[in-house]
Each structure stands twice: as C-alpha cells, then as structure tokens.
Amino acid sequence: MRTPIVVLLALLSFSSCSRHDGPVTRQGTVMDTYLSVSVYDDITEPAAAAAIDSVFTEIGRIDAMASDYNDQSEVGRANLAAGRDSMKVSAELADLLRRAIAYGDSTHGAFDITVGPLEQLWNVLSPSPRVPPRDSVDLLRKLVGYRSLSLLGNTLFLPRAGMRIDLGAIGKGYAVDRAAAVLTRLGIRKAIVDLGGNLYVRWEGTKGLDSAVATIAVRHPRSSGSYLGTFACGEGGVSTSGDYERYFMAGGVRYHHILDPSTGYPARGVVSTTIVAPTGEMADALSTIVFVMGRARGLDFLTKVPNTEGFIVYESGDSLAIDFTPGFRGKFSRERAHD
Ligand code: AMP
Ligand code: MG
C-alpha cells in the first residue's frame, strides 16, 4: 500500500480506489472548511464509504452544536442570549467549554474563546475588509474576557450584551477527535481525517512523531501550491495555524484572523505554527496558543507540554526560518526548491 501523504491546509485531489490500490477517500465542506477522510484499512469500498459517511455525520453534529455562525446552534443561541438569559447547554458542549476555559487559564488569556466580537469587527474575509478604527477595537476588547463567562454545571451565561463565544481555535480539533472515535468504534484502524488543516491520524499501534506512517506535507505559507517541507508521524493530532489562511492586506501589512486578546489586533511575529499532539483538540488549541504567544514564549510553553512537539515558522529578512521543539529537530525535511 502507498504511504499516505497529507497536505496540511491545502487540497489534494484523491480518488476513490478499489480495496487493493489505495485508500477510500471523500471530501466535502463542513464547519466552514474542507473535510477530507481517507480510510486505508483493507476492507471493501462500501464498508469504508459507510465509515466515512459516519464521520461526515458526526462532524456535522458537532458543527450544529458549536458553530458560532449558526444562530440555531447551542453556541449561537447562547451568544444571542448574551446579557439577557442563561442557557442550558449539552454536557458535551459544557465539557468542551470547560477545557477551552482551562486553556485560557494556562495561557494567561492568550487563548480566549470570547474573541468573537473582535473577530466580527475585523471580519478579515469580508469582500471589502478594512482596518477598524482603534477606538472600535478598544471598545470591543472590553467585551472580550473568558473569565467573565458563567458556566455552572450545564448552565451557560454570557454576562454582557454583545459578548460572543467563538470556538474557531479548538472546535475543529475536537471534531476530528470525535471522528476518530467513530472510526474506532466501527473497527477502522487506519485512517486520516483532515478538517481544514486539523488532522487526526488514526493508525493503530503507532504514536505521534515516534512513528513514521503518514507523510505530512506542510503548505508553504508564502507560496501557495508548494510545500515548506514534510515530516512523518503516526497516531494523533496534527494542526497548523497560519497567517495565510484568512487574511487581507492593507498598506503592505497583513491582517489575519488570529487575534491577540491583549491588544485586539492580529498577533504578530509568527507566520505559522504546526503542532503534533496526542489529540486533535490539543494540537488545534496549541497551534493557536503558540501563534498568539509568539516565538520565544510560545516555544517555551510548548516545550513544557508532555507528548507534544511542534515548530514555529517566522520571517527572517527575506526568507522564512523555523524554530523546533527539541523532539521535532531533525524530523522535518525542508523543501529545497522554495525558500
Ligand atoms: P486556528 O486556525 O485554529 O488558529 O484558529 C483561529 C480561529 O480561532 C480564528 O478564526 C478565531 O475564530 C479564533 N481565535 C482567534 N484568535 C483567538 C485567540 N486568541 N484565542 C482563541 N481563539 C481565537
Ligand atoms: Mg487552533
């Protein structure tokens, strides 16, 4: 069987194959991004296709729970009730929120799921984006602060009108973990789920960077269509956060979607971060956290997280440089043709 190659944050066209010459793959759009699921087990195509269907259903379910774009989701309804009513949420969402809040605590607020009002203000994907006036940033920054959320049992309350929960930095990682759980329940042992650059590599008997079963190609942040380099890994989560995913340019400056809650402006100093962790949720949250913390603080923080490795890409003069955690050193092969 071919070694699977997955491109982070880029679409590859896979084709469905018979049981003997490759994975069964399907792609679609969900949670406002692409979803690609590949099953490598040596099973019939209908069996693999049924498992993939179940993954799409599961991720659709999580979107219906946690999307802040959807006023009908649990998060959407809690946001609409901000400053007015508390809401009973599912135990599943309450648990996810508690873990997200814990990331806020352990990062002294670099990770903050209440950045929603600022994300809306920046609206980097609008057809005519612009840099908002500083006054507006400062005003909305006052609505940001996960510490003021009230979550007692399953009862959630956003105390101030205009507050908004945005799980964009952790929800997709959580979703790929749930997808992996579905695959495991269905007896699938080898599969890759890629939800907008948040991967879960399901490969029984392997573990993170200790194993080399899947080759991950990391998209070049400044040259779409080419790779920055590749690394190999086994079971676990892999996530990249980058300033090239959602951004606009104004006056020669790049304004992207990963915000520093302490300033209200896009976090500066990092181009992208890639994390390999035991779960998709950890990889997702940590890629955003390290991005916001910046090179020195981010690398220091990451180095202290057990079973987790990563690297930080940043601009150095006219080219890109990379800092690795000790466990990642020597495991990333840089593409020579570019930068
Ligand atoms: P990611 O691509 O995983 O780094 O997530 C970026 C998304 O997370 C953004 O589009 C926002 O929805 C949200 N976000 C941006 N900045 C932060 C932050 N400092 N803490 C938590 N979530 C954030
Ligand atoms: Mg993230």
Side-chain angles (χ1 to χ4, degrees):
M1 186 186 296
R2 284 193 314 243
T3 313
I5 296 186
V6 177
V7 178
L8 273 179
L9 294 173
L11 277 169
L12 262 194
S13 49
F14 293 100
S15 55
S16 287
C17 301
S18 74
R19 58 185 288 172
H20 294 299
D21 64 354
V24 177
T25 295
R26 200 174 118 206
Q27 288 174 349
T29 303
V30 62
M31 291 182 93
D32 202 33
T33 189
Y34 68 85
L35 170 62
S36 169
V37 186
S38 299
V39 170
Y40 292 83
D41 286 61
D42 194 8
I43 55 175
T44 63
E45 181 161 349
I52 292 173
D53 277 349
S54 301
V55 167
F56 272 78
T57 303
E58 178 67 355
I59 292 185
R61 184 186 70 77
I62 292 160
D63 193 28
M65 172 181 83
S67 165
D68 64 299
Y69 293 98
N70 174 358
D71 287 347
Q72 299 307 311
S73 76
E74 291 185 50
V75 167
R77 285 186 290 134
N79 285 345
L80 283 179
R84 220 181 45 239
D85 297 316
S86 64
M87 219 190 83
K88 270 253 183 275
V89 298
S90 61
E92 184 181 11
L93 180 62
D95 287 344
L96 175 59
L97 290 171
R98 265 187 271 277
R99 293 194 300 277
I101 288 168
Y103 277 116
D105 286 340
S106 65
T107 62
H108 304 289
F111 188 85
D112 193 324
I113 53 166
T114 64
V115 288
L118 285 170
E119 285 293 334
Q120 283 198 319
L121 175 70
W122 280 96
N123 196 10
V124 297
L125 288 185
S126 103
S128 50
R130 63 189 191 100
V131 179
R134 184 171 289 271
D135 286 359
S136 311
V137 173
D138 288 342
L139 202 66
L140 289 186
R141 199 152 61 84
K142 297 201 176 86
L143 286 174
V144 176
Y146 74 91
R147 291 181 189 88
S148 70
L149 288 175
S150 158
L151 181 61
L152 295 168
N154 294 358
T155 303
L156 172 66
F157 182 49
L158 286 63
R160 299 177 60 196
M163 274 186 90
R164 270 181 81 87
I165 290 176
D166 171 342
L167 292 171
I170 191 170
K172 296 184 193 78
Y174 173 67
V176 296
D177 287 342
R178 298 314 313 156
V182 164
L183 290 170
T184 302
R185 200 173 64 228
L186 294 172
I188 303 294
R189 290 177 303 176
K190 297 175 181 175
I192 296 177
V193 181
D194 178 358
L195 179 60
N198 301 277
L199 305 191
Y200 192 89
V201 178
R202 159 90 186 114
W203 217 271
E204 207 164 84
T206 69
K207 190 167 139 263
L209 288 180
D210 295 346
S211 316
V213 290
T215 301
I216 313 288
V218 180
R219 210 183 101 179
H220 195 292
R222 295 290 180 263
S223 165
S224 61
S226 58
Y227 306 154
L228 184 66
T230 59
F231 64 92
C233 70
E235 177 105 20
V238 182
S239 215
T240 290
S241 291
D243 70 3
Y244 53 95
E245 299 169 54
R246 296 167 188 229
Y247 71 96
F248 65 93
M249 300 295 293
V253 178
R254 181 181 291 257
Y255 296 93
H256 58 79
H257 65 137
I258 303 172
L259 302 179
D260 181 346
S262 71
T263 63
Y265 284 75
R268 292 290 170 212
V270 171
V271 169
S272 73
T273 56
T274 296
I275 310 290
V276 177
T279 68
E281 180 179 304
M282 277 180 79
D284 189 3
L286 286 167
S287 65
T288 310
I289 286 166
V290 171
F291 194 110
V292 174
M293 285 185 167
R295 262 173 76 195
R297 215 178 126 217
L299 196 67
D300 186 55
F301 183 86
L302 191 59
T303 303
K304 291 178 183 140
V305 182
N307 301 316
T308 299
E309 305 291 345
F311 58 82
I312 303 174
V313 179
Y314 56 98
E315 278 168 351
S316 172
D318 284 343
S319 59
L320 297 178
I322 312 182
D323 286 345
F324 296 91
T325 56
F328 220 123
R329 263 175 230 142
K331 296 196 166 162
F332 186 73
S333 317
R334 192 108 184 236
E335 195 72 31
R336 299 236 167 266
H338 300 277
D339 202 338

